[in-house]
Amino acid sequence: MHAPGPMLETRGLVFETGGHRLIDGIDLALGAERRLVVMGANGAGKSLLLRLMHGLIKPTAGSVRWQGRPLDRAARDRQAMVFQRSVMLRRSVRANLQFALAVRNVRKSERAARGGLSLEQALLSALAHRPARALSGGEQQRLAVVRALACEPELLLLDEPTASLDPASTEAIEDLINMAHARQVGVVMATHDTGQARRLGDDIAFLHAGRLAEFGPVGDVLDQPQSEPLKAWLEGRLYHEPAGG
């Protein structure tokens, strides 16, 4: 069971590089077993925020906490992240899964069964011996998601996992995310798709210029936006900061 309080939270999170502040004082809390969708225009900081949450990048200021404690290697091992373009190893579909499980120190006797189940869930059993890099984009993303889930994380982070995929591939990925949520896995996912946000999210964090412009339940935020950046984004307009803002 998860400890009381937020599963993951960011406190005053800041990231700067080259004199530019790309993430600016973000405070977020993700409840256990909740699904958070992160939205915003290109360059708003969505991907960067997910990488900071996962500990892939060190913040300039502020902190990321896991179940009330500083994020460390042990905490990161209880998470898994899927990128928009996941790296496939130069080996078979099955071997990609086996390698991920070996890295997580899963006993060899368990790897075959767990890997086989993962392939079934991703509808990839018939392609188990095919080189992973020979799969279609949608098949590779399905493999990336189940490769992450095979490691049995408590939190799954996904950076626009269905970008550029066709509707059938998108549905297959969403089915895997729903399957994970049914197993009480927390989810943080960046997406541009408001329909997907409604289907898969409980809460939404809308970013603008590296800042948290709006946060709340998905339906409330999308149906009754309060911030001008979100209103403009939903209407397909560019938002310009007021002079001196």
Side-chain angles (χ1 to χ4, degrees), residues 58-234:
K58 184 177 179 179
T60 305
S63 64
V64 180
R65 300 183 68 82
W66 174 262
Q67 297 184 359
R69 298 182 178 182
L71 184 69
D72 57 16
R73 178 60 185 269
R76 284 186 58 198
D77 285 345
R78 295 161 71 180
Q79 306 175 6
M81 185 163 177
V82 177
F83 299 91
Q84 183 174 336
R85 290 195 174 190
S86 298
V87 175
M88 296 289 113
L89 302 176
R90 291 183 181 275
R91 54 190 74 186
S92 70
V93 170
R94 187 186 302 280
N96 265 264
L97 275 167
Q98 298 290 334
F99 180 81
L101 294 171
V103 168
R104 289 297 182 95
N105 297 315
V106 175
R107 288 181 297 180
K108 191 173 182 179
S109 59
E110 295 180 19
R111 292 176 205 163
R114 199 185 292 188
L117 177 60
S118 296
L119 291 175
E120 289 180 17
Q121 292 172 340
L123 305 177
L124 293 173
S125 297
L127 305 177
H129 299 291
R130 181 174 296 185
R133 294 187 177 187
L135 299 179
S136 69
E139 291 165 345
Q140 286 191 10
Q141 278 300 82
R142 297 206 311 266
L143 175 57
V145 174
V146 292
R147 185 173 61 182
L149 291 175
C151 298
E152 299 183 345
E154 294 178 33
L155 176 65
L156 179 65
L157 300 103
L158 307 109
D159 186 7
E160 298 191 50
T162 61
S164 303
L165 298 186
D166 62 29
S169 295
T170 295
E171 182 178 10
I173 296 294
E174 291 186 0
D175 286 345
L176 291 171
I177 296 170
N178 282 328
M179 189 182 305
H181 179 60
R183 298 201 321 243
Q184 301 182 331
V185 176
V187 175
V188 178
M189 183 176 68
T191 180
H192 279 102
D193 186 337
T194 56
Q196 186 171 69
R198 291 179 187 276
R199 292 191 297 271
L200 299 181
D202 297 310
D203 303 308
I204 181 171
F206 183 82
L207 304 187
H208 173 71
R211 300 172 186 168
L212 182 61
E214 202 152 343
F215 177 84
V218 169
D220 293 350
V221 170
L222 293 181
D223 292 339
Q224 297 179 317
Q226 302 299 307
S227 65
E228 292 304 318
L230 178 54
K231 290 177 182 177
W233 187 77
L234 290 172

Side-chain angles (χ1 to χ4, degrees), residues 7-84:
M7 171 185 279
L8 182 144
E9 59 183 324
T10 67
R11 297 181 177 179
L13 199 64
V14 173
F15 182 78
E16 296 179 347
T17 184
H20 298 285
R21 182 167 288 201
L22 304 181
I23 294 292
D24 191 2
I26 290 183
D27 294 307
L28 275 176
L30 176 69
E33 301 168 22
R34 297 288 287 179
R35 299 169 298 173
L36 172 68
V37 291
V38 181
M39 305 192 78
N42 289 335
K46 302 184 297 299
S47 297
L48 184 54
L49 177 60
L50 264 64
R51 284 163 171 76
L52 288 162
M53 285 178 159
H54 192 39
L56 296 178
I57 301 173
K58 184 177 179 179
T60 305
S63 64
V64 180
R65 300 183 68 82
W66 174 262
Q67 297 184 359
R69 298 182 178 182
L71 184 69
D72 57 16
R73 178 60 185 269
R76 284 186 58 198
D77 285 345
R78 295 161 71 180
Q79 306 175 6
M81 185 163 177
V82 177
F83 299 91
Q84 183 174 336

